[in-house]
Amino acid sequence: MTIDLELVQSLEALSAIALTEAERAAALADLQSAVDSFAPLAALDTQGVEPLTHVLPLENVTREDVALPSMDNELLLSNAARVKGGAFVVHRAVE
């Protein structure tokens, strides 16, 4: 893959930044260097290698959703600074 000035300008627009001509040239050189560092991987024989999204197998660890008894509401609210209608009263976060 070759990085050109058009790609750098596209990335500049997507990033909502303004680069000087010198910064664009430096970005072009840096991006091309990063892309070139992966060139040796193209020489590897990957025939028969399955693509991976993760190195290790992933599996969701879940438990059965079971309703359990809660603590006593009065006990939970006993140390609250302010209580109204059986709930904590807190400062409004969104107006």
Side-chain angles (χ1 to χ4, degrees):
M1 175 180 190
T2 302
I3 306 297
D4 59 5
L5 188 57
E6 183 179 330
L7 178 60
V8 172
Q9 289 172 330
S10 174
L11 293 172
E12 181 180 357
L14 288 171
S15 303
I17 58 174
L19 299 176
T20 65
E21 288 302 320
E23 290 171 330
R24 280 190 198 106
L28 192 146
D30 289 344
L31 289 170
Q32 189 62 56
S33 174
V35 169
D36 289 345
S37 69
F38 289 96
L41 296 177
L44 296 176
D45 179 20
T46 58
Q47 188 70 21
V49 177
E50 293 291 323
L52 295 176
T53 56
H54 296 281
V55 176
L56 300 174
L58 294 180
E59 157 181 339
N60 285 336
V61 179
T62 58
R63 61 176 172 77
E64 190 175 337
D65 190 11
V66 178
L68 300 174
S70 181
M71 293 180 69
D72 180 54
N73 199 40
E74 288 182 20
L75 175 64
L76 292 172
L77 297 173
S78 64
N79 289 325
R82 295 186 303 167
V83 176
K84 181 178 180 182
F88 293 99
V89 176
V90 297
H91 295 288
R92 174 175 270 180
V94 179
E95 300 216 16

